[in-house]
């Protein structure tokens, strides 16, 4: 249980605090903690079995990387509503079926972000919903091709790796 | 490329800055960024095929969760040296073989942490190396049992989920 916080940063994306927590042995200890509202992400699968990944510019990776569509939860937002919105904005598709895969804690050593991972199927294009965006480009490929990219070290994003490996057990 | 930083927090585990980066279209934008030295993690596999997970207290998860042995890189440290040390400290084993699985970017939207994931085999117990620790408890189980925990939603840590799914493709 959190006993005392010393806030050190309050941003638009996350906040940081020095938090005192009681350890299992009863002692107190201070932890550096990133608090994040969490996110939702989905692997979109077309009716022909091919999947859609995106190429996205990420300063934290020093460039453009492979990811699945994803977004940050707004306050109180249902993760399913969040991923429906992101699928329309990032790849221009409406998903009739959103099935949960797993929840993941991204970096539990210092951050509470939880990502709700889904499989999105029964996709219908909604071209008008696709935002003008120079930084996100959807790419259609087979799951086998994506797994080859992963095995070759070209897919580094954790939620994307996880979604691909979970999908590989289903299909 | 990073152009300008405004540091907002410098901790023992990570630092935080407001960073200006040039976008692919040439404009500049400011990003909230967690900078982390990175980590190493390994799935330990015993000669009989069983694996070792740990139960670890994590304030970010509000309790004790399932993980694989892992540690933060020291400055300039080889991830293989890091995970060798952590395997001795956290589960009391020396690994003669450390094979790379993948590298993962934990939370690339706002954090540069990269975790080097390995498979650790040819394990020899080194009981004297096991630190007195109230907060980390090793548990031996089959990979199948671990995958059942994952599928049931009981394993939430991303690096642990990833290592188990990668191992499931190898064994």
């Amino acid at each position: 249980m959190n006993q005392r916080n010393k806030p050190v940063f309050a941003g638009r994306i996350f906040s940081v605090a020095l938090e005192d927590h009681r350890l299992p042995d009863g002692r107190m200890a201070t932890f550096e903690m990133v608090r994040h509202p969490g996110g939702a992400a989905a692997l979109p699968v077309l009716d022909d079995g091919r999947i859609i990944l995106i190429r996205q510019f990420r300063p934290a990776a020093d460039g453009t990387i492979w990811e699945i569509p994803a977004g940050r939860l707004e306050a109180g937002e249902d993760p399913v509503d969040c991923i429906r919105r992101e699928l329309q904005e990032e790849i221009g598709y409406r998903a009739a079926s959103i099935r949960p895969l797993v929840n993941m804690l991204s970096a539990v050593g210092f951050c509470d972000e939880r990502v709700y991972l889904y499989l999105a199927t029964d996709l219908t294009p909604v071209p008008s919903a696709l935002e003008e965006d120079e930084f996100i480009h959807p790419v259609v490929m087979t799951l086998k091709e994506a797994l080859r990219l992963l095995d070759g070290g070209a897919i580094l994003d954790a939620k994307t790796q996880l979604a691909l490996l979970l999908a590989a057990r289903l299909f």
Side-chain angles (χ1 to χ4, degrees), chain A:
Chain A
M1 278 292 95
N2 182 223
Q3 307 292 321
R4 195 180 57 91
N5 282 352
K6 186 187 161 207
V8 294
F9 173 68
R12 201 174 53 85
I13 313 295
F14 59 83
S15 63
V16 178
L18 296 174
E19 300 184 0
D20 286 347
H21 289 269
R22 189 169 301 282
L23 302 178
D25 69 355
R27 286 179 303 151
M28 298 296 291
T30 301
F31 293 82
E32 299 170 13
M33 186 78 73
V34 178
R35 294 284 178 184
H36 185 284
L43 179 69
V45 183
L46 295 164
D47 289 349
D48 67 7
R50 288 182 305 162
I51 64 168
I52 308 176
L53 297 185
I54 58 175
R55 298 283 298 160
Q56 181 160 15
F57 173 68
R58 293 293 200 182
D62 271 332
T64 297
I65 66 167
W66 291 107
E67 289 188 48
I68 53 175
R72 201 169 54 252
L73 299 181
E74 290 168 10
E77 186 178 34
D78 184 326
V80 172
D81 295 335
C82 174
I83 195 56
R84 280 190 199 286
R85 183 183 62 240
E86 296 295 337
L87 287 168
Q88 296 211 13
E89 289 179 5
E90 297 193 338
I91 61 168
Y93 278 89
R94 181 174 294 128
S97 166
I98 305 273
R99 254 160 69 198
L101 287 171
V102 294
N103 300 342
M104 62 169 249
L105 298 171
S106 311
V108 73
F110 59 94
C111 173
D112 72 342
E113 186 195 33
R114 178 185 290 246
V115 177
Y116 298 83
L117 262 187
Y118 300 96
L119 201 70
T121 56
D122 300 308
L123 300 177
T124 317
V126 192
S128 61
L130 196 54
E131 280 185 351
E132 276 297 323
D133 197 321
E134 304 260 344
F135 315 118
I136 297 183
H137 297 281
V139 179
V140 176
M141 68 179 77
T142 64
L143 181 57
K144 201 172 157 185
E145 286 166 338
L147 290 167
R148 207 175 300 135
L149 287 174
L150 191 162
D151 288 331
I155 293 180
L156 291 171
D157 175 56
K159 64 184 177 301
T160 304
Q161 294 171 327
L162 204 45
L164 291 173
L165 292 168
L166 288 164
R169 294 165 80 214
L170 297 175
F171 297 114

